PDB file of all heavy atoms in Angstrom:
ATOM      1  N   ARG A  21       3.536   4.851   9.433  1.00  0.00           N
ATOM      2  CA  ARG A  21       4.823   4.179   9.224  1.00  0.00           C
ATOM      3  C   ARG A  21       5.088   4.072   7.738  1.00  0.00           C
ATOM      4  O   ARG A  21       4.302   3.472   7.015  1.00  0.00           O
ATOM      5  CB  ARG A  21       4.812   2.791   9.857  1.00  0.00           C
ATOM      6  CG  ARG A  21       4.757   2.882  11.371  1.00  0.00           C
ATOM      7  CD  ARG A  21       4.687   1.531  12.040  1.00  0.00           C
ATOM      8  NE  ARG A  21       4.594   1.767  13.475  1.00  0.00           N
ATOM      9  CZ  ARG A  21       5.333   1.151  14.388  1.00  0.00           C
ATOM     10  NH1 ARG A  21       6.196   0.221  14.021  1.00  0.00           N
ATOM     11  NH2 ARG A  21       5.219   1.451  15.662  1.00  0.00           N
ATOM     12  N   PRO A  26      16.153   1.837   3.364  1.00  0.00           N
ATOM     13  CA  PRO A  26      16.243   0.661   4.221  1.00  0.00           C
ATOM     14  C   PRO A  26      15.555   0.846   5.575  1.00  0.00           C
ATOM     15  O   PRO A  26      15.473  -0.095   6.347  1.00  0.00           O
ATOM     16  CB  PRO A  26      17.750   0.492   4.423  1.00  0.00           C
ATOM     17  CG  PRO A  26      18.323   1.849   4.219  1.00  0.00           C
ATOM     18  CD  PRO A  26      17.443   2.547   3.235  1.00  0.00           C
ATOM     19  N   PHE A  27      15.088   2.047   5.865  1.00  0.00           N
ATOM     20  CA  PHE A  27      14.532   2.322   7.194  1.00  0.00           C
ATOM     21  C   PHE A  27      13.023   2.501   7.158  1.00  0.00           C
ATOM     22  O   PHE A  27      12.466   2.983   6.180  1.00  0.00           O
ATOM     23  CB  PHE A  27      15.162   3.595   7.780  1.00  0.00           C
ATOM     24  CG  PHE A  27      16.650   3.580   7.778  1.00  0.00           C
ATOM     25  CD1 PHE A  27      17.367   4.545   7.093  1.00  0.00           C
ATOM     26  CD2 PHE A  27      17.346   2.581   8.447  1.00  0.00           C
ATOM     27  CE1 PHE A  27      18.753   4.522   7.078  1.00  0.00           C
ATOM     28  CE2 PHE A  27      18.730   2.549   8.429  1.00  0.00           C
ATOM     29  CZ  PHE A  27      19.434   3.523   7.747  1.00  0.00           C
ATOM     30  N   ASN A  28      12.395   2.146   8.270  1.00  0.00           N
ATOM     31  CA  ASN A  28      10.985   2.486   8.464  1.00  0.00           C
ATOM     32  C   ASN A  28      10.918   3.627   9.472  1.00  0.00           C
ATOM     33  O   ASN A  28      11.564   3.575  10.519  1.00  0.00           O
ATOM     34  CB  ASN A  28      10.206   1.291   8.998  1.00  0.00           C
ATOM     35  CG  ASN A  28      10.056   0.191   7.956  1.00  0.00           C
ATOM     36  OD1 ASN A  28      10.229   0.447   6.762  1.00  0.00           O
ATOM     37  ND2 ASN A  28       9.742  -1.007   8.393  1.00  0.00           N
ATOM     38  N   GLU A  55       5.045  -3.202  10.397  1.00  0.00           N
ATOM     39  CA  GLU A  55       6.475  -3.531  10.508  1.00  0.00           C
ATOM     40  C   GLU A  55       7.111  -2.724  11.642  1.00  0.00           C
ATOM     41  O   GLU A  55       6.571  -1.712  12.083  1.00  0.00           O
ATOM     42  CB  GLU A  55       7.195  -3.203   9.187  1.00  0.00           C
ATOM     43  CG  GLU A  55       6.831  -4.145   8.061  1.00  0.00           C
ATOM     44  CD  GLU A  55       7.618  -3.845   6.785  1.00  0.00           C
ATOM     45  OE1 GLU A  55       8.701  -3.217   6.885  1.00  0.00           O
ATOM     46  OE2 GLU A  55       7.130  -4.223   5.704  1.00  0.00           O
ATOM     47  N   ILE A  56       8.288  -3.195  12.059  1.00  0.00           N
ATOM     48  CA  ILE A  56       9.069  -2.455  13.060  1.00  0.00           C
ATOM     49  C   ILE A  56       9.576  -1.161  12.431  1.00  0.00           C
ATOM     50  O   ILE A  56      10.016  -1.160  11.280  1.00  0.00           O
ATOM     51  CB  ILE A  56      10.260  -3.304  13.529  1.00  0.00           C
ATOM     52  CG1 ILE A  56       9.757  -4.499  14.357  1.00  0.00           C
ATOM     53  CG2 ILE A  56      11.258  -2.473  14.327  1.00  0.00           C
ATOM     54  CD1 ILE A  56      10.837  -5.496  14.705  1.00  0.00           C
ATOM     55  N   ALA A  57       9.504  -0.074  13.168  1.00  0.00           N
ATOM     56  CA  ALA A  57      10.084   1.182  12.690  1.00  0.00           C
ATOM     57  C   ALA A  57      11.333   1.480  13.508  1.00  0.00           C
ATOM     58  O   ALA A  57      11.331   1.332  14.727  1.00  0.00           O
ATOM     59  CB  ALA A  57       9.078   2.316  12.819  1.00  0.00           C
ATOM     60  N   GLU A  58      12.398   1.888  12.825  1.00  0.00           N
ATOM     61  CA  GLU A  58      13.646   2.236  13.527  1.00  0.00           C
ATOM     62  C   GLU A  58      13.576   3.634  14.143  1.00  0.00           C
ATOM     63  O   GLU A  58      14.223   3.917  15.135  1.00  0.00           O
ATOM     64  CB  GLU A  58      14.838   2.193  12.562  1.00  0.00           C
ATOM     65  CG  GLU A  58      15.254   0.805  12.128  1.00  0.00           C
ATOM     66  CD  GLU A  58      14.639   0.410  10.797  1.00  0.00           C
ATOM     67  OE1 GLU A  58      13.555   0.921  10.471  1.00  0.00           O
ATOM     68  OE2 GLU A  58      15.245  -0.401  10.085  1.00  0.00           O
ATOM     69  N   HIS A  60      11.187   6.892  15.450  1.00  0.00           N
ATOM     70  CA  HIS A  60       9.863   7.341  15.890  1.00  0.00           C
ATOM     71  C   HIS A  60       9.926   8.843  16.115  1.00  0.00           C
ATOM     72  O   HIS A  60      10.571   9.299  17.050  1.00  0.00           O
ATOM     73  CB  HIS A  60       9.457   6.628  17.177  1.00  0.00           C
ATOM     74  CG  HIS A  60       9.295   5.155  16.985  1.00  0.00           C
ATOM     75  ND1 HIS A  60       8.073   4.538  16.957  1.00  0.00           N
ATOM     76  CD2 HIS A  60      10.212   4.175  16.775  1.00  0.00           C
ATOM     77  CE1 HIS A  60       8.236   3.243  16.741  1.00  0.00           C
ATOM     78  NE2 HIS A  60       9.524   3.002  16.640  1.00  0.00           N
ATOM     79  N   ARG A  62       8.039  12.868  16.000  1.00  0.00           N
ATOM     80  CA  ARG A  62       6.804  13.605  16.198  1.00  0.00           C
ATOM     81  C   ARG A  62       7.035  15.074  15.904  1.00  0.00           C
ATOM     82  O   ARG A  62       8.114  15.599  16.184  1.00  0.00           O
ATOM     83  CB  ARG A  62       6.395  13.565  17.674  1.00  0.00           C
ATOM     84  CG  ARG A  62       5.412  12.539  18.058  1.00  0.00           C
ATOM     85  CD  ARG A  62       5.324  12.442  19.567  1.00  0.00           C
ATOM     86  NE  ARG A  62       4.931  11.103  19.911  1.00  0.00           N
ATOM     87  CZ  ARG A  62       3.660  10.703  19.999  1.00  0.00           C
ATOM     88  NH1 ARG A  62       2.669  11.570  19.860  1.00  0.00           N
ATOM     89  NH2 ARG A  62       3.371   9.458  20.259  1.00  0.00           N
ATOM     90  N   ASP A  82      11.771   9.848  19.669  1.00  0.00           N
ATOM     91  CA  ASP A  82      11.514   9.011  20.844  1.00  0.00           C
ATOM     92  C   ASP A  82      11.170   9.865  22.067  1.00  0.00           C
ATOM     93  O   ASP A  82      11.628   9.596  23.180  1.00  0.00           O
ATOM     94  CB  ASP A  82      12.739   8.142  21.168  1.00  0.00           C
ATOM     95  CG  ASP A  82      12.812   6.918  20.259  1.00  0.00           C
ATOM     96  OD1 ASP A  82      11.747   6.435  19.836  1.00  0.00           O
ATOM     97  OD2 ASP A  82      13.925   6.464  19.979  1.00  0.00           O
ATOM     98  N   GLY A  83      10.415  10.919  21.855  1.00  0.00           N
ATOM     99  CA  GLY A  83      10.000  11.766  22.966  1.00  0.00           C
ATOM    100  C   GLY A  83      11.039  12.780  23.417  1.00  0.00           C
ATOM    101  O   GLY A  83      10.773  13.583  24.303  1.00  0.00           O
ATOM    102  N   GLN A  84      12.234  12.755  22.821  1.00  0.00           N
ATOM    103  CA  GLN A  84      13.292  13.702  23.205  1.00  0.00           C
ATOM    104  C   GLN A  84      13.414  14.788  22.147  1.00  0.00           C
ATOM    105  O   GLN A  84      13.294  14.510  20.953  1.00  0.00           O
ATOM    106  CB  GLN A  84      14.649  12.985  23.286  1.00  0.00           C
ATOM    107  CG  GLN A  84      14.704  11.865  24.262  1.00  0.00           C
ATOM    108  CD  GLN A  84      14.630  12.401  25.679  1.00  0.00           C
ATOM    109  OE1 GLN A  84      13.653  12.159  26.370  1.00  0.00           O
ATOM    110  NE2 GLN A  84      15.629  13.140  26.093  1.00  0.00           N
ATOM    111  N   GLU A  88      15.840  23.352  19.297  1.00  0.00           N
ATOM    112  CA  GLU A  88      14.913  24.372  19.765  1.00  0.00           C
ATOM    113  C   GLU A  88      13.607  24.211  18.979  1.00  0.00           C
ATOM    114  O   GLU A  88      13.574  23.505  17.972  1.00  0.00           O
ATOM    115  CB  GLU A  88      15.477  25.771  19.472  1.00  0.00           C
ATOM    116  CG  GLU A  88      16.811  26.078  20.120  1.00  0.00           C
ATOM    117  CD  GLU A  88      16.668  26.382  21.600  1.00  0.00           C
ATOM    118  OE1 GLU A  88      15.541  26.735  22.023  1.00  0.00           O
ATOM    119  OE2 GLU A  88      17.666  26.265  22.311  1.00  0.00           O
ATOM    120  N   ARG A 110      22.463   7.884  14.622  1.00  0.00           N
ATOM    121  CA  ARG A 110      22.203   6.548  15.134  1.00  0.00           C
ATOM    122  C   ARG A 110      22.729   5.410  14.286  1.00  0.00           C
ATOM    123  O   ARG A 110      23.030   4.347  14.809  1.00  0.00           O
ATOM    124  CB  ARG A 110      20.695   6.344  15.275  1.00  0.00           C
ATOM    125  CG  ARG A 110      20.159   6.952  16.527  1.00  0.00           C
ATOM    126  CD  ARG A 110      18.763   6.455  16.711  1.00  0.00           C
ATOM    127  NE  ARG A 110      18.158   7.067  17.867  1.00  0.00           N
ATOM    128  CZ  ARG A 110      16.871   6.982  18.127  1.00  0.00           C
ATOM    129  NH1 ARG A 110      16.077   6.335  17.279  1.00  0.00           N
ATOM    130  NH2 ARG A 110      16.379   7.538  19.203  1.00  0.00           N
ATOM    131  N   ASN A 112      25.033   3.095  12.474  1.00  0.00           N
ATOM    132  CA  ASN A 112      26.447   2.735  12.338  1.00  0.00           C
ATOM    133  C   ASN A 112      26.625   1.348  11.746  1.00  0.00           C
ATOM    134  O   ASN A 112      27.750   0.859  11.657  1.00  0.00           O
ATOM    135  CB  ASN A 112      27.142   2.749  13.705  1.00  0.00           C
ATOM    136  CG  ASN A 112      27.300   4.154  14.236  1.00  0.00           C
ATOM    137  OD1 ASN A 112      27.667   5.062  13.505  1.00  0.00           O
ATOM    138  ND2 ASN A 112      27.000   4.349  15.508  1.00  0.00           N
ATOM    139  N   HIS A 113      25.544   0.685  11.365  1.00  0.00           N
ATOM    140  CA  HIS A 113      25.735  -0.631  10.744  1.00  0.00           C
ATOM    141  C   HIS A 113      26.049  -0.469   9.259  1.00  0.00           C
ATOM    142  O   HIS A 113      26.398  -1.421   8.585  1.00  0.00           O
ATOM    143  CB  HIS A 113      24.528  -1.544  10.970  1.00  0.00           C
ATOM    144  CG  HIS A 113      23.286  -1.108  10.253  1.00  0.00           C
ATOM    145  ND1 HIS A 113      22.548  -0.016  10.636  1.00  0.00           N
ATOM    146  CD2 HIS A 113      22.669  -1.615   9.166  1.00  0.00           C
ATOM    147  CE1 HIS A 113      21.521   0.127   9.813  1.00  0.00           C
ATOM    148  NE2 HIS A 113      21.572  -0.838   8.916  1.00  0.00           N
ATOM    149  N   GLU A 261      34.664   7.833  11.197  1.00  0.00           N
ATOM    150  CA  GLU A 261      35.536   7.589  12.355  1.00  0.00           C
ATOM    151  C   GLU A 261      34.938   6.556  13.293  1.00  0.00           C
ATOM    152  O   GLU A 261      35.657   5.746  13.865  1.00  0.00           O
ATOM    153  CB  GLU A 261      35.794   8.900  13.109  1.00  0.00           C
ATOM    154  CG  GLU A 261      36.662   9.855  12.314  1.00  0.00           C
ATOM    155  CD  GLU A 261      37.774  10.463  13.143  1.00  0.00           C
ATOM    156  OE1 GLU A 261      37.535  10.737  14.333  1.00  0.00           O
ATOM    157  OE2 GLU A 261      38.871  10.661  12.596  1.00  0.00           O
ATOM    158  N   ALA A 262      33.622   6.569  13.435  1.00  0.00           N
ATOM    159  CA  ALA A 262      32.985   5.619  14.349  1.00  0.00           C
ATOM    160  C   ALA A 262      33.214   4.182  13.903  1.00  0.00           C
ATOM    161  O   ALA A 262      33.318   3.281  14.716  1.00  0.00           O
ATOM    162  CB  ALA A 262      31.489   5.911  14.454  1.00  0.00           C
TER     163      ALA A 262
ATOM    164  N   ASP B  27       7.350  -8.426  17.654  1.00  0.00           N
ATOM    165  CA  ASP B  27       7.945  -7.241  17.026  1.00  0.00           C
ATOM    166  C   ASP B  27       7.735  -5.974  17.852  1.00  0.00           C
ATOM    167  O   ASP B  27       8.640  -5.167  18.020  1.00  0.00           O
ATOM    168  CB  ASP B  27       7.348  -7.031  15.631  1.00  0.00           C
ATOM    169  CG  ASP B  27       7.992  -7.963  14.604  1.00  0.00           C
ATOM    170  OD1 ASP B  27       8.818  -8.805  15.015  1.00  0.00           O
ATOM    171  OD2 ASP B  27       7.666  -7.839  13.415  1.00  0.00           O
ATOM    172  N   GLU B  31      10.528  -3.555  19.469  1.00  0.00           N
ATOM    173  CA  GLU B  31      10.614  -2.143  19.091  1.00  0.00           C
ATOM    174  C   GLU B  31      10.668  -1.264  20.342  1.00  0.00           C
ATOM    175  O   GLU B  31      11.510  -0.376  20.461  1.00  0.00           O
ATOM    176  CB  GLU B  31       9.405  -1.777  18.231  1.00  0.00           C
ATOM    177  CG  GLU B  31       9.481  -0.383  17.659  1.00  0.00           C
ATOM    178  CD  GLU B  31       8.251  -0.044  16.839  1.00  0.00           C
ATOM    179  OE1 GLU B  31       8.230  -0.345  15.642  1.00  0.00           O
ATOM    180  OE2 GLU B  31       7.304   0.530  17.422  1.00  0.00           O
ATOM    181  N   ARG B  35      13.916   1.022  22.009  1.00  0.00           N
ATOM    182  CA  ARG B  35      13.777   2.457  22.286  1.00  0.00           C
ATOM    183  C   ARG B  35      14.086   2.766  23.752  1.00  0.00           C
ATOM    184  O   ARG B  35      14.716   3.763  24.076  1.00  0.00           O
ATOM    185  CB  ARG B  35      12.359   2.920  21.936  1.00  0.00           C
ATOM    186  CG  ARG B  35      12.040   2.773  20.450  1.00  0.00           C
ATOM    187  CD  ARG B  35      10.587   3.071  20.170  1.00  0.00           C
ATOM    188  NE  ARG B  35      10.295   4.494  20.258  1.00  0.00           N
ATOM    189  CZ  ARG B  35       9.074   4.982  20.295  1.00  0.00           C
ATOM    190  NH1 ARG B  35       8.017   4.175  20.280  1.00  0.00           N
ATOM    191  NH2 ARG B  35       8.878   6.283  20.372  1.00  0.00           N
ATOM    192  N   ARG B  38      17.898   2.203  24.561  1.00  0.00           N
ATOM    193  CA  ARG B  38      18.711   3.297  24.039  1.00  0.00           C
ATOM    194  C   ARG B  38      18.626   4.507  24.967  1.00  0.00           C
ATOM    195  O   ARG B  38      19.622   5.166  25.243  1.00  0.00           O
ATOM    196  CB  ARG B  38      18.236   3.670  22.640  1.00  0.00           C
ATOM    197  CG  ARG B  38      19.049   4.788  22.018  1.00  0.00           C
ATOM    198  CD  ARG B  38      18.457   5.240  20.705  1.00  0.00           C
ATOM    199  NE  ARG B  38      18.724   4.338  19.612  1.00  0.00           N
ATOM    200  CZ  ARG B  38      17.782   3.727  18.901  1.00  0.00           C
ATOM    201  NH1 ARG B  38      16.505   3.937  19.172  1.00  0.00           N
ATOM    202  NH2 ARG B  38      18.099   2.924  17.918  1.00  0.00           N
ATOM    203  N   ARG B  39      17.434   4.742  25.471  1.00  0.00           N
ATOM    204  CA  ARG B  39      17.194   5.902  26.329  1.00  0.00           C
ATOM    205  C   ARG B  39      18.054   5.864  27.588  1.00  0.00           C
ATOM    206  O   ARG B  39      18.441   6.894  28.121  1.00  0.00           O
ATOM    207  CB  ARG B  39      15.702   5.933  26.700  1.00  0.00           C
ATOM    208  CG  ARG B  39      15.252   7.126  27.472  1.00  0.00           C
ATOM    209  CD  ARG B  39      15.198   8.337  26.573  1.00  0.00           C
ATOM    210  NE  ARG B  39      14.954   9.527  27.371  1.00  0.00           N
ATOM    211  CZ  ARG B  39      15.905  10.299  27.865  1.00  0.00           C
ATOM    212  NH1 ARG B  39      17.164  10.023  27.632  1.00  0.00           N
ATOM    213  NH2 ARG B  39      15.602  11.360  28.576  1.00  0.00           N
ATOM    214  N   PRO B  60      14.532  -9.935  14.893  1.00  0.00           N
ATOM    215  CA  PRO B  60      14.198  -9.250  13.642  1.00  0.00           C
ATOM    216  C   PRO B  60      15.369  -8.381  13.159  1.00  0.00           C
ATOM    217  O   PRO B  60      16.001  -7.694  13.967  1.00  0.00           O
ATOM    218  CB  PRO B  60      13.006  -8.364  14.027  1.00  0.00           C
ATOM    219  CG  PRO B  60      12.429  -8.986  15.239  1.00  0.00           C
ATOM    220  CD  PRO B  60      13.555  -9.673  15.947  1.00  0.00           C
ATOM    221  N   ARG B  62      15.548  -5.574  11.685  1.00  0.00           N
ATOM    222  CA  ARG B  62      15.486  -4.138  12.001  1.00  0.00           C
ATOM    223  C   ARG B  62      15.897  -3.861  13.450  1.00  0.00           C
ATOM    224  O   ARG B  62      16.131  -2.712  13.824  1.00  0.00           O
ATOM    225  CB  ARG B  62      14.075  -3.588  11.756  1.00  0.00           C
ATOM    226  CG  ARG B  62      13.770  -3.460  10.287  1.00  0.00           C
ATOM    227  CD  ARG B  62      12.487  -2.734   9.997  1.00  0.00           C
ATOM    228  NE  ARG B  62      12.151  -2.932   8.603  1.00  0.00           N
ATOM    229  CZ  ARG B  62      12.662  -2.198   7.610  1.00  0.00           C
ATOM    230  NH1 ARG B  62      13.484  -1.212   7.871  1.00  0.00           N
ATOM    231  NH2 ARG B  62      12.337  -2.463   6.367  1.00  0.00           N
ATOM    232  N   ILE B  63      15.922  -4.899  14.263  1.00  0.00           N
ATOM    233  CA  ILE B  63      16.390  -4.769  15.643  1.00  0.00           C
ATOM    234  C   ILE B  63      17.906  -5.002  15.704  1.00  0.00           C
ATOM    235  O   ILE B  63      18.631  -4.242  16.346  1.00  0.00           O
ATOM    236  CB  ILE B  63      15.654  -5.778  16.553  1.00  0.00           C
ATOM    237  CG1 ILE B  63      14.145  -5.498  16.531  1.00  0.00           C
ATOM    238  CG2 ILE B  63      16.204  -5.740  17.976  1.00  0.00           C
ATOM    239  CD1 ILE B  63      13.739  -4.123  17.021  1.00  0.00           C
ATOM    240  N   THR B  65      20.133  -4.569  13.417  1.00  0.00           N
ATOM    241  CA  THR B  65      20.910  -3.454  12.841  1.00  0.00           C
ATOM    242  C   THR B  65      21.044  -2.333  13.871  1.00  0.00           C
ATOM    243  O   THR B  65      22.099  -1.694  13.955  1.00  0.00           O
ATOM    244  CB  THR B  65      20.245  -2.896  11.571  1.00  0.00           C
ATOM    245  OG1 THR B  65      18.875  -2.628  11.852  1.00  0.00           O
ATOM    246  CG2 THR B  65      20.339  -3.877  10.421  1.00  0.00           C
ATOM    247  N   GLN B  66      20.001  -2.125  14.664  1.00  0.00           N
ATOM    248  CA  GLN B  66      20.083  -1.057  15.668  1.00  0.00           C
ATOM    249  C   GLN B  66      21.033  -1.430  16.805  1.00  0.00           C
ATOM    250  O   GLN B  66      21.780  -0.590  17.316  1.00  0.00           O
ATOM    251  CB  GLN B  66      18.697  -0.740  16.226  1.00  0.00           C
ATOM    252  CG  GLN B  66      17.775  -0.122  15.185  1.00  0.00           C
ATOM    253  CD  GLN B  66      16.435   0.254  15.769  1.00  0.00           C
ATOM    254  OE1 GLN B  66      16.318   1.250  16.460  1.00  0.00           O
ATOM    255  NE2 GLN B  66      15.411  -0.536  15.503  1.00  0.00           N
ATOM    256  N   SER B  69      24.531  -1.105  15.464  1.00  0.00           N
ATOM    257  CA  SER B  69      24.916   0.308  15.438  1.00  0.00           C
ATOM    258  C   SER B  69      25.331   0.785  16.824  1.00  0.00           C
ATOM    259  O   SER B  69      26.315   1.508  16.977  1.00  0.00           O
ATOM    260  CB  SER B  69      23.757   1.170  14.940  1.00  0.00           C
ATOM    261  OG  SER B  69      23.527   0.937  13.572  1.00  0.00           O
ATOM    262  N   VAL B  72      28.755  -0.497  17.726  1.00  0.00           N
ATOM    263  CA  VAL B  72      29.811   0.267  17.047  1.00  0.00           C
ATOM    264  C   VAL B  72      30.077   1.560  17.806  1.00  0.00           C
ATOM    265  O   VAL B  72      31.228   1.940  18.053  1.00  0.00           O
ATOM    266  CB  VAL B  72      29.418   0.570  15.579  1.00  0.00           C
ATOM    267  CG1 VAL B  72      30.363   1.585  14.959  1.00  0.00           C
ATOM    268  CG2 VAL B  72      29.403  -0.710  14.757  1.00  0.00           C
ATOM    269  N   GLN B  73      29.009   2.218  18.219  1.00  0.00           N
ATOM    270  CA  GLN B  73      29.160   3.477  18.951  1.00  0.00           C
ATOM    271  C   GLN B  73      29.868   3.256  20.292  1.00  0.00           C
ATOM    272  O   GLN B  73      30.770   4.006  20.667  1.00  0.00           O
ATOM    273  CB  GLN B  73      27.776   4.097  19.189  1.00  0.00           C
ATOM    274  CG  GLN B  73      27.855   5.447  19.868  1.00  0.00           C
ATOM    275  CD  GLN B  73      26.528   5.871  20.466  1.00  0.00           C
ATOM    276  OE1 GLN B  73      25.643   5.062  20.708  1.00  0.00           O
ATOM    277  NE2 GLN B  73      26.391   7.164  20.704  1.00  0.00           N
ATOM    278  N   LYS B  76      33.482   2.610  19.708  1.00  0.00           N
ATOM    279  CA  LYS B  76      34.185   3.841  19.318  1.00  0.00           C
ATOM    280  C   LYS B  76      34.455   4.717  20.545  1.00  0.00           C
ATOM    281  O   LYS B  76      35.564   5.229  20.721  1.00  0.00           O
ATOM    282  CB  LYS B  76      33.349   4.604  18.286  1.00  0.00           C
ATOM    283  CG  LYS B  76      33.964   5.926  17.854  1.00  0.00           C
ATOM    284  CD  LYS B  76      35.284   5.707  17.156  1.00  0.00           C
ATOM    285  CE  LYS B  76      36.073   6.989  16.988  1.00  0.00           C
ATOM    286  NZ  LYS B  76      37.382   6.751  16.374  1.00  0.00           N
ATOM    287  N   PRO B 319       8.388   6.065  25.710  1.00  0.00           N
ATOM    288  CA  PRO B 319       8.709   7.170  24.796  1.00  0.00           C
ATOM    289  C   PRO B 319       7.486   7.845  24.188  1.00  0.00           C
ATOM    290  O   PRO B 319       7.560   9.007  23.771  1.00  0.00           O
ATOM    291  CB  PRO B 319       9.562   6.509  23.711  1.00  0.00           C
ATOM    292  CG  PRO B 319       9.366   5.039  23.864  1.00  0.00           C
ATOM    293  CD  PRO B 319       8.966   4.783  25.276  1.00  0.00           C
ATOM    294  N   ASP B 320       6.368   7.144  24.123  1.00  0.00           N
ATOM    295  CA  ASP B 320       5.172   7.769  23.545  1.00  0.00           C
ATOM    296  C   ASP B 320       4.173   8.222  24.591  1.00  0.00           C
ATOM    297  O   ASP B 320       3.353   9.083  24.330  1.00  0.00           O
ATOM    298  CB  ASP B 320       4.469   6.791  22.591  1.00  0.00           C
ATOM    299  CG  ASP B 320       5.341   6.448  21.398  1.00  0.00           C
ATOM    300  OD1 ASP B 320       6.067   7.347  20.937  1.00  0.00           O
ATOM    301  OD2 ASP B 320       5.314   5.290  20.960  1.00  0.00           O
ATOM    302  N   ARG B 360      17.640  28.223  28.152  1.00  0.00           N
ATOM    303  CA  ARG B 360      18.484  28.783  27.097  1.00  0.00           C
ATOM    304  C   ARG B 360      19.296  27.729  26.350  1.00  0.00           C
ATOM    305  O   ARG B 360      19.558  27.867  25.177  1.00  0.00           O
ATOM    306  CB  ARG B 360      19.426  29.820  27.703  1.00  0.00           C
ATOM    307  CG  ARG B 360      18.810  31.208  27.713  1.00  0.00           C
ATOM    308  CD  ARG B 360      19.860  32.250  27.915  1.00  0.00           C
ATOM    309  NE  ARG B 360      20.086  32.467  29.345  1.00  0.00           N
ATOM    310  CZ  ARG B 360      21.236  32.865  29.846  1.00  0.00           C
ATOM    311  NH1 ARG B 360      22.268  33.055  29.056  1.00  0.00           N
ATOM    312  NH2 ARG B 360      21.381  33.051  31.132  1.00  0.00           N
ATOM    313  N   SER B 363      19.062  22.833  23.806  1.00  0.00           N
ATOM    314  CA  SER B 363      19.557  22.043  22.680  1.00  0.00           C
ATOM    315  C   SER B 363      20.875  21.348  23.011  1.00  0.00           C
ATOM    316  O   SER B 363      21.176  20.292  22.499  1.00  0.00           O
ATOM    317  CB  SER B 363      19.732  22.923  21.458  1.00  0.00           C
ATOM    318  OG  SER B 363      20.629  23.953  21.750  1.00  0.00           O
ATOM    319  N   SER B 366      20.976  17.564  24.613  1.00  0.00           N
ATOM    320  CA  SER B 366      20.683  16.350  23.870  1.00  0.00           C
ATOM    321  C   SER B 366      21.939  15.524  23.595  1.00  0.00           C
ATOM    322  O   SER B 366      21.865  14.399  23.171  1.00  0.00           O
ATOM    323  CB  SER B 366      20.034  16.715  22.553  1.00  0.00           C
ATOM    324  OG  SER B 366      20.905  17.509  21.811  1.00  0.00           O
TER     325      SER B 366
END
Side-chain angles (χ1 to χ4, degrees):
Chain A
R21 292 178 182 228
F27 307 120
N28 290 342
E55 289 183 22
I56 291 172
E58 288 96 333
H60 296 253
R62 263 169 208 272
D82 280 330
Q84 301 291 113
E88 300 284 339
R110 279 192 183 168
N112 290 317
H113 68 288
E261 291 226 324
Chain B
D27 281 5
E31 187 181 273
R35 297 173 73 193
R38 181 187 283 120
R39 185 73 188 92
R62 287 189 193 277
I63 299 299
T65 50
Q66 293 183 76
S69 290
V72 169
Q73 184 197 20
K76 178 63 193 177
D320 296 324
R360 271 197 273 151
S363 59
S366 60

